[in-house]
Amino acid sequence: MNKKSITSYDVAKAAGVSQSAVSRAFSPGASIAKATRDRVLQAASDLGYQPNAIARSMSSARIETQQKSGMVGVVVTRLQDPFFSRTIAGLSQNIQARGWQMLLFTVESESEVDAAMNSLMQYKIDGAIIMSAILSDQMAETCQLRGIPVMLYNRSADGLNVNSVQIDNVEGGRLAAEFLLEAGHERIAFVGGEEDDETSKARESGFVDRLSEDGIKLLFHEEGNYTFESGREAALRLFSRNQRPDAIFCASDVMALGVLHAARYELGLEVQKDFSLLGFDDIPEASWPGHSLTTIRQPIRRMIVEAVDVLVENMQDPEMLTRRTSFAGKLILRGSCRRTVL
Amino acid sequence: MNKKSITSYDVAKAAGVSQSAVSRAFSPGASIAKATRDRVLQAASDLGYQPNAIARSMSSARIETQQKSGMVGVVVTRLQDPFFSRTIAGLSQNIQARGWQMLLFTVESESEVDAAMNSLMQYKIDGAIIMSAILSDQMAETCQLRGIPVMLYNRSADGLNVNSVQIDNVEGGRLAAEFLLEAGHERIAFVGGEEDDETSKARESGFVDRLSEDGIKLLFHEEGNYTFESGREAALRLFSRNQRPDAIFCASDVMALGVLHAARYELGLEVQKDFSLLGFDDIPEASWPGHSLTTIRQPIRRMIVEAVDVLVENMQDPEMLTRRTSFAGKLILRGSCRRTVL
DNA sequence: ATTCAATTTGCATGCGCATTCAAAACGAAA
DNA sequence: TTTCGTTTTGAATGCGCATGCAAATTGAAT
């Protein structure tokens, strides 16, 4: 079985040049005569030669080369979540467009992030993007020592020296509260993520703060896990109590849709009339006609571009200062909320 | 700036052994005394050493080693689609569990698959999974020559020598037709993918064949592109004609939900009563209370496991015979269809 | 204590490429 | 034609690791 791969030596022989020449032909900006390069490229194409990226990053390991492994590690949780799958799709496209490949690692929980980074680092990734999670101080230090730029997406780490791109969750929460207050709501519930979820906590804190400024206290707090089912169950619990909320703010659209479906189709409630519903993210499903979910939109496209831009810049300039970008959420008005005081 | 990475030589020195010993300590099954291994591992952990996967696959390039690059290339389109993001999430977990990493490449259209494979092959991937697309004969040949096992997911290639895992789309279409016929439908429409989409064509052919066996001719054929929006638009077109369908079969759940939302919330129709709606895939959204979409379920978990199992087997045994697995779809009865003849 | 097989170890080498350095080829000016 | 600066070229080297091979060590059996 002939599975020997074609090396630069094979091409060199075919083109009647040295191996160095072949290497140069494939290195933009290298010192090589046009005629030689053409001859090499022709031979390469005849033989079906492709430079071996592994060997390439191997030899460039010693010097400060532009491209090293050519891979960016991405650590992600909850890939099934529309918000994340959209983000991954966007990141992937942007990373590829910039000439890198994406080495993807999915983890079940935040505690696995460090292990994931260790795995990825064995591949000498040039940089890493971590979604909705943080790394340990120790891991951050390791990355810095190894010169691997890190980008936190949907999270930030105050103490640590790592880049981050995220939405201002506290302000987003405030925005939500503001809107519900203006519409005159008073019996307000919040459906968040698990107890230790930073994102959820931030959204809730902004939300609750703003409410309390108007003297309103949160009526109920329900805990979910960012799935539709958990939103659905939260709704069932919420509406089974004596006192019913007249507005519900959910830490994510998926959970809000869970609430919506439960309320409308299982409890026979009328969204907007019986209670206002507010989500967070603005996933595509939120705008489906039957959902028409009012929500706080994350400027996901811009966030993705920013994340990749900054990471690429940092990969090219290791000395770059840590960059933390915070985007503002925007209220997207749809049918799930009443707009004026009754 | 000290960004020199720790090599096996550093560990060797620290542990007072040779570099070979360090290498052996990290190679399961290598000939090394337990005492030595422990000493090496201790030193390694002290120094924060991790073997360099790149160099590793570099040196093992020459021999028939078990693990080569340790990476599996995955080419995917339409990552935003719930069906695909779920699949990617599952694949990722399974691949990692088997000790491989996933190098992800997203493409916009099927024509980019060959280029994607070329990119991935530069990284000397040990195997590849291609979702919902096929590769050219030439590329298949190249892979075979290079000894890179390929797994087609959601597609198969009769002429080519590549593994595949997919659902029996023709049979799925028949199943759909069967069900609608039993319920006594006669004015039946089909909403598919783009004209040259193989998956859609297969589902439609099975569907139309079964209909014609009962002397029913397809009333309308609408073309979509597997997005919610395209389903929605198809519905608007379908119901704007004089003759209205009494049943609609969509080539994917996402499109079916587009039809559902348009019909119910924009046209004021009552699903099930005014027409039956049938999807394909059984994505989570199909079972949401407000959707209750009857659909043909793909056994996605089993398909994923099978795909990874076969690929891994093939990576370990390059001589393995080409394996093509076809799963049967299952009708999942929900509220969007009437069940008996009126 | 001696022998011999089994186990463990280190040395040396190569994986495929990029790059350094010195030699060669070229080109323009004299 | 000669000279000198410029460009192009090839030989040699190392990136970090795994492994073949031979030397060294161990341990069991005599």
Side-chain angles (χ1 to χ4, degrees):
Chain A
M1 186 150 187
N2 171 30
K3 57 175 56 175
K4 209 177 139 300
S5 58
I6 301 121
T7 74
S8 52
Y9 284 95
D10 301 323
V11 177
K13 194 182 300 174
V17 296
S18 71
Q19 179 269 328
S20 319
V22 178
S23 171
R24 289 189 177 105
F26 282 92
S27 306
S31 166
I32 187 172
K34 183 168 186 324
T36 322
R37 149 172 285 138
D38 290 346
R39 204 141 44 89
V40 170
L41 292 182
Q42 181 58 53
S45 127
D46 287 349
L47 294 172
Y49 168 78
Q50 292 274 123
N52 179 333
I54 298 283
R56 208 162 217 202
S57 70
M58 184 79 249
S59 68
S60 58
R62 103 189 96 140
I63 12 248
E64 294 276 336
T65 312
Q66 278 281 23
Q67 187 138 321
K68 308 207 285 184
S69 73
M71 295 186 290
V72 170
V74 176
V75 181
V76 64
T77 40
R78 308 207 321 264
L79 188 49
Q80 311 75 9
D81 190 312
F83 179 75
F84 287 94
S85 54
R86 251 181 92 200
T87 305
I88 288 294
L91 283 176
S92 169
Q93 283 174 15
N94 273 278
I95 288 173
Q96 282 169 210
R98 302 302 218 91
W100 267 271
Q101 291 297 321
M102 186 167 133
L103 199 55
L104 184 73
F105 205 109
T106 61
V107 294
E108 294 295 317
S109 76
E110 201 154 336
S111 58
E112 300 171 33
V113 171
D114 272 30
M117 283 298 293
N118 259 322
S119 271
L120 291 178
M121 280 198 296
Q122 295 193 191
Y123 284 90
K124 301 297 152 185
I125 48 173
D126 299 338
I129 299 180
I130 299 176
M131 309 223 356
S132 267
I134 51 169
L135 21 54
S136 66
D137 296 22
Q138 191 198 319
M139 181 51 71
E141 202 177 318
T142 305
C143 289
Q144 190 159 20
L145 205 70
R146 297 263 208 293
I148 300 176
V150 173
M151 165 62 73
L152 259 36
Y153 189 96
N154 222 315
R155 242 351 184 330
S156 68
D158 293 330
L160 275 41
N161 203 12
V162 292
N163 306 297
S164 61
V165 162
Q166 67 172 354
I167 198 169
D168 187 333
N169 287 308
V170 175
E171 197 52 45
R174 288 188 64 86
L175 198 57
E178 186 104 26
F179 174 70
L180 293 181
L181 287 169
E182 265 177 27
H185 288 289
E186 291 184 334
R187 301 193 311 284
I188 303 178
F190 173 76
V191 179
E194 277 151 9
E195 200 176 1
D196 56 350
D197 183 79
E198 293 298 331
T199 304
S200 176
K201 280 199 290 192
R203 289 173 190 175
E204 180 171 11
S205 92
F207 187 67
V208 170
D209 277 5
R210 183 61 190 82
L211 288 188
S212 66
E213 285 176 22
D214 273 31
I216 304 275
K217 203 163 145 284
L218 199 62
L219 184 64
F220 296 124
H221 167 108
E222 287 290 343
E223 194 171 295
N225 60 185
Y226 288 99
T227 61
F228 178 90
E229 196 50 34
S230 75
R232 178 180 159 271
E233 285 166 4
L236 297 182
R237 286 197 299 274
L238 278 173
F239 289 112
S240 67
R241 300 206 238 278
N242 293 339
Q243 204 172 10
R244 291 193 159 195
D246 67 353
I248 302 177
F249 172 47
C250 298
S252 91
D253 280 354
V254 176
M255 288 195 289
L257 292 176
V259 171
L260 185 147
H261 276 253
R264 185 143 75 197
Y265 304 104
E266 298 189 76
L267 302 173
L269 296 171
E270 202 169 322
V271 181
Q272 186 189 64
K273 185 162 152 290
D274 292 329
F275 73 104
S276 281
L277 181 60
L278 195 50
F280 206 111
D281 288 343
D282 195 26
I283 59 176
E285 287 86 337
S287 69
W288 289 5
H291 295 150
S292 190
L293 179 69
T294 297
T295 188
I296 309 290
R297 170 182 295 172
Q298 300 209 43
I300 183 167
R301 298 222 74 75
R302 283 192 294 142
M303 288 168 68
I304 290 171
V305 170
E306 171 77 10
V308 176
D309 275 0
V310 171
L311 185 68
V312 168
E313 189 178 336
N314 198 170
M315 290 193 294
Q316 280 163 175
D317 169 20
E319 312 296 331
M320 193 190 86
L321 288 178
T322 298
R323 200 92 60 78
R324 296 171 215 269
T325 316
S326 178
F327 286 84
K330 186 181 169 195
L331 184 77
I332 302 298
L333 228 54
R334 297 207 183 90
S336 69
C337 291
R338 78 170 192 235
R339 315 226 180 143
T340 49
V341 183
L342 284 179
Chain B
M1 184 146 188
N2 170 31
K3 59 173 56 176
K4 209 177 138 301
S5 58
I6 300 120
T7 73
S8 52
Y9 283 95
D10 301 324
V11 178
K13 194 181 300 174
V17 296
S18 73
Q19 178 268 327
S20 317
V22 177
S23 171
R24 291 191 175 105
F26 282 91
S27 307
S31 166
I32 188 173
K34 183 167 187 325
T36 321
R37 149 172 284 138
D38 290 346
R39 204 140 45 89
V40 170
L41 292 182
Q42 181 57 52
S45 128
D46 289 348
L47 293 171
Y49 167 79
Q50 292 273 124
N52 180 332
I54 298 284
R56 207 162 221 206
S57 70
M58 185 78 249
S59 68
S60 58
R62 109 188 89 139
I63 12 248
E64 294 276 335
T65 312
Q66 277 283 22
Q67 187 138 319
K68 309 207 286 184
S69 73
M71 294 186 292
V72 169
V74 176
V75 180
V76 64
T77 41
R78 307 208 321 265
L79 190 48
Q80 309 77 10
D81 190 311
F83 179 74
F84 288 94
S85 54
R86 252 181 93 201
T87 305
I88 288 295
L91 283 176
S92 169
Q93 284 174 14
N94 274 277
I95 289 173
Q96 282 169 210
R98 302 303 218 92
W100 267 270
Q101 292 296 321
M102 186 167 133
L103 198 56
L104 185 73
F105 205 110
T106 62
V107 294
E108 295 294 318
S109 74
E110 200 154 336
S111 58
E112 299 170 35
V113 171
D114 271 31
M117 283 298 294
N118 259 321
S119 270
L120 291 178
M121 279 198 297
Q122 295 193 193
Y123 285 89
K124 301 295 153 186
I125 47 172
D126 299 338
I129 298 181
I130 300 176
M131 309 222 355
S132 268
I134 50 168
L135 20 56
S136 65
D137 296 22
Q138 191 196 319
M139 180 52 70
E141 202 177 320
T142 305
C143 290
Q144 189 159 19
L145 204 70
R146 297 261 207 294
I148 300 175
V150 172
M151 167 60 76
L152 259 34
Y153 188 97
N154 222 314
R155 248 335 191 334
S156 67
D158 291 330
L160 275 43
N161 203 11
V162 292
N163 306 298
S164 60
V165 162
Q166 68 172 354
I167 197 170
D168 186 333
N169 287 308
V170 174
E171 197 52 45
R174 288 188 65 86
L175 198 57
E178 186 105 25
F179 175 70
L180 293 180
L181 288 171
E182 265 176 27
H185 290 289
E186 292 183 333
R187 302 193 311 283
I188 303 178
F190 174 75
V191 179
E194 278 151 8
E195 200 176 0
D196 56 350
D197 184 78
E198 293 298 331
T199 305
S200 176
K201 280 199 290 190
R203 290 172 190 176
E204 180 172 11
S205 90
F207 187 67
V208 170
D209 276 5
R210 183 63 189 80
L211 288 188
S212 67
E213 285 176 21
D214 273 31
I216 305 273
K217 207 165 143 282
L218 199 63
L219 185 63
F220 296 125
H221 167 108
E222 287 290 343
E223 194 171 297
N225 62 184
Y226 288 98
T227 61
F228 178 90
E229 196 51 32
S230 76
R232 179 180 158 271
E233 286 165 4
L236 297 181
R237 285 196 301 273
L238 278 174
F239 289 110
S240 69
R241 299 204 237 276
N242 292 340
Q243 203 174 7
R244 290 193 160 195
D246 67 354
I248 302 178
F249 172 46
C250 298
S252 90
D253 280 353
V254 176
M255 289 195 290
L257 292 175
V259 169
L260 185 148
H261 276 253
R264 184 142 77 197
Y265 304 104
E266 299 189 78
L267 303 173
L269 296 172
E270 200 167 324
V271 181
Q272 187 189 63
K273 187 163 151 287
D274 292 328
F275 73 104
S276 282
L277 181 61
L278 195 48
F280 206 112
D281 288 344
D282 194 27
I283 59 176
E285 287 85 338
S287 70
W288 290 4
H291 294 152
S292 190
L293 179 68
T294 297
T295 188
I296 309 290
R297 171 182 292 170
Q298 299 209 42
I300 183 167
R301 298 222 73 75
R302 282 192 293 143
M303 288 168 68
I304 290 170
V305 170
E306 172 75 9
V308 176
D309 275 0
V310 171
L311 185 68
V312 167
E313 188 179 336
N314 199 172
M315 291 193 293
Q316 280 162 174
D317 169 21
E319 311 299 330
M320 193 190 87
L321 287 178
T322 299
R323 199 91 61 79
R324 298 172 215 266
T325 316
S326 177
F327 286 83
K330 185 183 169 191
L331 184 77
I332 302 296
L333 228 55
R334 297 206 183 89
S336 69
C337 291
R338 77 167 192 237
R339 312 218 186 152
T340 49
V341 183
L342 285 179

